Amino acid sequence: MKITVLIENSVGVLIPQGLAGEHGLSVWIEHEGHKILFDTGQTGKVVENALRLGVNLKEAEAIVLSHGHYDHTGGLKAVLEFINKPIPVYAHPDIFSLHCVSSPVDRYIGIPFRKEELEGLGANFKWIKKPTEIFPGIWLSGEIPRKTTFEKIDESMYIKEGDKKLPDPILDDMSLFIKTPKGLVVILGCAHSGVINIIEHAKEVTGEEKIFAVIGGTHLGPASSKQLEETLIRLAQMEVSLIAANHCTGLSVASKFREIFGSKFRFATTGEIISV
Ligand SMILES: [Fe+2]
Ligand SMILES: [Fe+2]
């Protein structure tokens, strides 16, 4: 299994020149002959990054969207235009909710395209709400049950309904769970439902107890110190072999991870390749 970070907030050293970083996430997954694009970054720069990294997006069998936020879906139009043929797009129907945030600037942060526009470009939406094995051993989480007491949805996020601002449960937040002989690989988008809620759900859905790796955005950067602390404790108890966090994890949380998990932690910058 090979995972290539096509784009995220930063670009590392010792990787091909000319790669772009941007606030967002897109990951290329190759597993047992299947090729999946997980998220599309913010602006479409992912298309050129993929070329520079030797990834042929036209070989994607499916696109998976972790949730509707612009930093994960904004590149979708450019990707579809590049692929230039019909392709299944797995997502939760709430990706088209009017996702907004109140701080630091009150604004719309949802998907910047209409569904029809994307369908016209070849997106064949497959709506997912329940755990679904989209390819053998590759599970899309469905909605994540919110069970822990310490993991909270970012309170600055809301859904706009007419003049009303309703708390946004971000039900569209989904992750991928991939079974490998070493244990489960959990791939996060923004982990708005909480990293531990997601991992516990992964175990339940797949029947696999061993978590080998957690990769992607943890959203612990903006989380409370209590949430961060509890999450670190729980992760340490799980004896995860690899934590390759990035995106909404942020540098101060990343340095905490490094302190606690040592070489089991790596910051998965743009261009990083993770082989399992
Ligand atoms: Fe994000
Ligand atoms: Fe997000």
Side-chain angles (χ1 to χ4, degrees), residues 39 51 60 67 86 101 117 132 137 147 153 157 161 183 213-214 234 241 251-252 256 266 275:
D39 286 344
L51 288 170
H67 61 308
V101 72
E117 186 183 7
T132 306
K147 290 186 175 170
I153 290 279
M157 292 183 178
E161 256 189 40
V214 179
R234 293 284 295 272
S241 302
L251 286 180
S252 68
K256 276 218 167 63
R266 60 204 256 211
S275 297

Side-chain angles (χ1 to χ4, degrees), residues 1 29 31 137-139 176-180 183-187:
M1 175 188 189
I29 299 156
H31 181 59
I138 305 178
W139 287 80
L176 273 181
F177 312 143
I178 304 176
K179 280 187 158 188
T180 79
L184 272 187
V185 173
V186 175
I187 303 180

Side-chain angles (χ1 to χ4, degrees), residues 82 96 128 148 242:
F82 178 80
F96 287 104
I128 303 286
T148 61
L242 171 69

Side-chain angles (χ1 to χ4, degrees), residues 44-55:
K45 288 197 176 88
V46 64
V47 172
E48 189 170 336
N49 275 10
L51 288 170
R52 286 180 187 271
L53 287 162
V55 166

Side-chain angles (χ1 to χ4, degrees), residues 67 69 71-72 157 190 192 219 247:
H67 61 308
H69 287 160
D71 51 323
H72 299 251
M157 292 183 178
C190 260
H192 290 291
H219 212 72
H247 181 44

Side-chain angles (χ1 to χ4, degrees), residues 10 37 79 144 148 193 233:
S10 60
L37 180 67
V79 166
I144 307 287
T148 61
S193 324
I233 292 169

